[in-house]
Amino acid sequence: MHGKLLKFLLYTRFSKPLLAVTALMIAFCCVFGTSVMNNNLLASAIFQNLGVGITILMLVSAVFSKGLIIMKSDRTYLLTLPIEKKELALNLFIAQIVAFFITNIFLYGMLIPFILATGGISYIMLPIDLIALTLLICSISVVASGLSKKMKIALGIFLISWTSSALWGFPFAPSSIFTGNMLYGSIVLVISAILSTAMALRELSNVEFKTMESLVRATSLDVKKIRTFDGMSPFGAVFFLNFSALKFSKSINKKSTLRNQINSIKLSWVMVVSCILGVVYVLLLPQIDATIGYMVITFLPVVLLYLVCFIYQRGMTKERAWLAFTSMDPMRYFRYISAAKALSLVTLFLPFVIANVVLSFLGFQSAITTIIPLLITIPCSATLTLYWATITNPVQFKEEAPTTPTQINLKQILTVIPFFGFFIIVMISVLLPIAGIIAAAVTLGLTLFLSYNRYPWRTFVEKLTENGYV
Amino acid sequence: MGEQETWGIEVKGISRKFGNTIALKDLNFKIPWGEKFALLGPNGAGKSTTLKLLTGLLKPNSGEVKIGGTDPSTEKARSIMGYLPEDATPYQMLSVRENLEYIGALRQVENVKEATDNLMDFFDLGEYEKAKVGKLSRGTTQKLALALSIIHKPKILLLDEPLNYLDIPTQEKVITLLNSLSITSLVSTHIMSVASRLTKNVIMLSRGVILWEGSMDTLRKLGETEEPIESIVARMMTGAR
């Protein structure tokens, strides 16, 4: 039964195009990574730091994730079958591990040549480390799903501190495999993975219907505070709705009901964090080595761009065509939304812009070159990402249609392409100020062109309606 | 009164394909201002596609659609038109009140709060004021969707299976409300009793073409004595296949 069940779960979660693209991705990453590594030592260091950043992101996401991913079809068909819940939970866990392993290949792919370049045991340890990292992420998501919010925050802070310690040369961190401490890093990673997986399996072995419910978080039935749109203009209403919060869309399973859910974080809260990070950034940077300082300054816009693209991929999936586009011209509606989102990003980046201005006065000349990318290129890239994702993949979450991270089709994979383009544009913008000005002008021009061109939005609405997302 | 002002809805020779499938073929009909029409037809007849073309969400491959004398994608047409799709889902992350106020603001309704209060009273949505739409029952969601489609007091209303999921008292309320409004309406439905209570005229579609058009009374007269209207319609539709 185990084999058949697992086969079924894997078939319902992965598409053949995805596996083909995964193979291409690995090949591309190895070639691209190797060429960058051979030609530019500084870029190599930046890519190594990217490894630490991705690890932090994945671990923290795991802490705040919802445990096992159960799809609507699972609830309708699989959960009604006479299969023992422990067996089901275990196989769902294995399917999730495979899903995250593929996700990790996409995320860490470009770092593979840099890890291998450290030589020695890296050739043996690399596949083991990738598996251990996947196990650690998946098991943390299961173990943390039962924790209280406070405990999750505490665990998140611990994991951020522990993982980022590798940047300062601490060898006993799971991310130190990216910073030259392959042996110690691998040992720590494997031990952490074994311990956390054991804890997750223990959690899963006790699974009953009730426990499965606790593996996924309950969400509030009501909004905390009703927002009023009374007396607002159309622009005011769209702006108010989209400026005040950063939204992440995702799918969750609650009790026996599956829902696609938007999680909003108030911009004011994110601003507080952004301000604190800006202050820490200014205070810490002069204390560290100048070369590392330069790398951090250069690397910051890239990290912010990564987050922006992550957030904006699904920006329009919750829109309602029958409401929004029969009330307003789609082009105008999109223009208002993108203006709100771009301005919320500018607001969010402002503490870092001020911090970089301060740093430039303190002697870090390179800090000033990040200002244009932060204020123009990245917010415009967000709009362009939103546009591209919307046009290439006109999908909406009508109600309940959760997907695993890897249950995507070829079109959806295409939506990732501009991210790589923007990534390179932002990197060049920071390294070469003139190129930065040109990139900002081009992205701003493109954004304005799309915001005032009716045709793509007409096509989007048409495609959306044809696909049945009204 | 000019030609433009005579017709609320005009459909002139529209055809629409989805890939190789012909959904609508040379469709022609006109609905005068203030008249209420039902769009009847079996599954896949093209009823929902017709409504989507009328709202401007879809464009016809050929032919022309006019709402109040203008293209449906113009601001003027949008401002006078209300639309309720089948299985409508409002914004899931907003509450009932937020949905109503948001769309009220987009549609530039004069007193959004008052309009929202009135609709929430009418549809008994008061207790769900703060509830996220994603958590509502299908029936309550349908009530909200109906309220959203009429918040701006449209002159032309396009409804796709409006009474789906509603309990009987709410169905009666909605029928009374829609009959009391002096508007032009086109109601797509499978259910004859809904059509006959909400409208006086019928456009019958089958496989993307108009099978029959006329008044409800004329339709009744097409049958044998005492023959239920459902039976007449079924016979006509089956004959068309």
Side-chain angles (χ1 to χ4, degrees), chain A residues 375-439:
Chain A
L375 288 181
I376 300 172
T377 318
I378 299 178
C380 288
S381 302
T383 305
L384 296 174
T385 303
L386 181 67
Y387 164 76
W388 179 258
T390 303
I391 293 295
T392 54
N393 185 32
V395 165
Q396 289 208 309
F397 292 152
K398 199 170 178 188
E399 270 185 293
E400 301 151 356
T403 54
T404 63
T406 55
Q407 199 202 32
I408 49 178
N409 60 36
L410 206 54
K411 266 190 178 178
Q412 287 165 308
I413 293 166
L414 281 177
T415 63
V416 181
I417 290 173
F419 167 72
F420 290 103
F422 295 135
F423 181 88
I424 293 164
I425 288 170
V426 168
M427 281 293 290
I428 294 170
S429 300
V430 176
L431 296 170
L432 299 166
I434 296 294
I437 293 167
I438 295 168

Side-chain angles (χ1 to χ4, degrees), chain A residues 303-336:
Chain A
V303 174
L304 295 176
L305 176 71
Y306 185 89
L307 290 172
V308 164
C309 289
F310 177 70
I311 293 168
Y312 284 82
Q313 283 279 326
R314 288 172 156 189
M316 295 290 271
T317 51
K318 287 283 178 174
E319 274 311 324
R320 288 291 170 262
W322 74 279
L323 286 171
F325 307 136
T326 59
S327 304
M328 272 176 82
D329 177 40
M331 176 194 71
R332 200 151 61 95
Y333 193 74
F334 172 80
R335 193 194 308 151
Y336 292 172

